[in-house]
Amino acid sequence: MSAGEASAPGCVIHGAGDLRVEDVAVPRPGPGEALVAVRYGGVCGSDLHYWRHGGVGDFRLREPMLLGHEVVGTVVAYGSPDTAGPAAGRSVAVHPATPCGVCPECADGRRNVCRDTRYLGSAARFPHVQGGFASRIVVPAEQLRPLPAGLDPRRGALAEPLSVALHAVRRAGEVAGRHVLVTGAGPIGALVVAAAKAAGAAHVTVTDLLPAALEYARAAGADTLVRADDPGDSGWPVEVDTAIEASGVAAGLDTCLRLVRRGGVVVQLGMLPPGHSPFAGNLVVSREIELRGAFRFDGEFDDALRLLAAEPAFDALVSAVVPVRDAASAFELAADRSRSCKVLLDFGAAPAG
């Protein structure tokens, strides 16, 4: 960074256990791009994986990378006067994905699994796509979504993870009037509960190891809470119509396969550890269970914003807001599921220099 160049604090991951808050150069928007002043950024499970392990699943860090893809802020300026987008000063959420638009998946309407997408804060490609955890970021203007009137930006920061949950529920098919099992009551699992209830699920059962996590699921609308490590818990269902695995561990998938009814649907949403994971494959065959994956989202982002604007109860899932300069403590808190659900970084008190 040259002398006199404007800078802004950002959260840069250099490797496993090596998270630094650094002053990074404020980027300049080009044609079709917008400069955004980030206000809040949600610490996601993938951010925690990069911090703890230096990668997510099969995506490994190969260079320093700005983390973050759950961000809301304010439009500062555009790179060219003819760029269409929300007016400067407007509060916006940032859709983190830029699909290529030409691959077979994009052509088939499945842009969320685009083989050449760019996703904020992702090491899936090299050079990595830098993320949104900086006071000033530049993104394609088409990724901006105005926050609906009355939607508090803190709640708006949940748009990205809620979109993931909405997509998983849609991958499950029709859930209205049905019993849905969710394994894992982390931030995504709790939001899956809310998404399933919004889709008309008659009953949602949630399993987890931690009582505190289960209470967040209750706040999201869960009907029955089950301790996953207690086979004698009276809340265990005999069977369910649909199961969504949100814990990212093989035991959760096993639970889903054993409890879903014959001909039912299991959605694997949680990212399993890299490599091979054992699962009860014979049940998939003998019970004709449909096992479906769910990865990210696409148009659900706009639906998430509308749902967040209509339901203040989502505020209960934001357990802490931490200044960006204290990012290390924010990540420690977010990693402790006995003390937190969704932790937000606050960039509002850290203006560009």
Side-chain angles (χ1 to χ4, degrees), residues 51 164 266 309:
W51 170 56
V164 172
V266 172

Side-chain angles (χ1 to χ4, degrees), residues 109-129:
R110 303 189 67 178
R111 304 195 320 162
N112 61 298
V113 290
C114 166
R115 64 185 63 190
D116 195 30
T117 195
R118 298 180 61 82
Y119 205 88
L120 292 179
S122 172
R125 58 191 297 158
F126 184 83
H128 301 333
V129 181

Side-chain angles (χ1 to χ4, degrees), residues 99-111 114:
C100 74
V102 297
C103 71
E105 290 74 32
C106 285
D108 195 34
R110 303 189 67 178
R111 304 195 320 162
C114 166

Side-chain angles (χ1 to χ4, degrees), residues 107-284:
D108 195 34
R110 303 189 67 178
R111 304 195 320 162
N112 61 298
V113 290
C114 166
R115 64 185 63 190
D116 195 30
T117 195
R118 298 180 61 82
Y119 205 88
L120 292 179
S122 172
R125 58 191 297 158
F126 184 83
H128 301 333
V129 181
Q130 298 298 311
F133 280 177
S135 289
R136 299 291 186 273
I137 62 172
V138 162
V139 295
E142 63 185 17
Q143 290 179 227
L144 302 182
R145 302 292 190 275
L147 294 189
L151 177 56
D152 185 285
R154 290 191 187 192
R155 198 188 318 152
L158 295 174
E160 195 274 351
L162 179 56
S163 300
V164 172
L166 289 171
H167 181 70
V169 170
R170 289 178 181 174
R171 288 285 291 154
E174 183 60 67
V175 300
R178 298 184 178 179
H179 189 168
V180 177
L181 170 69
V182 180
T183 53
I188 292 293
L191 289 166
V192 169
V193 171
K197 296 298 280 190
H203 196 98
V204 178
T205 296
V206 183
T207 71
D208 201 281
L209 297 171
L210 299 176
L214 289 171
E215 287 305 314
Y216 281 114
R218 186 197 304 277
D223 299 289
T224 302
L225 311 177
V226 178
R227 281 290 298 266
D229 56 350
D230 182 2
D233 192 311
S234 61
W236 283 107
V238 175
E239 70 175 16
V240 298
D241 301 300
T242 302
I244 300 177
E245 204 301 293
S247 71
V249 298
L253 177 57
D254 186 75
T255 296
C256 290
L257 291 171
R258 295 185 186 283
L259 291 183
V260 76
R261 64 173 174 81
R262 292 174 179 269
V265 174
V266 172
V267 176
Q268 180 62 47
L269 171 60
M271 188 68 77
L272 295 165
H276 297 286
S277 295
F279 75 105
N282 285 340
L283 295 180
V284 175

Side-chain angles (χ1 to χ4, degrees), residues 301-331:
F301 196 78
D302 300 295
D303 298 328
L305 287 170
R306 286 190 287 269
L307 183 55
L308 288 166
E311 187 48 76
F314 282 104
D315 289 340
L317 301 184
V318 178
S319 48
V321 180
V322 180
V324 62
R325 294 292 185 187
D326 297 327
S329 64
F331 273 62

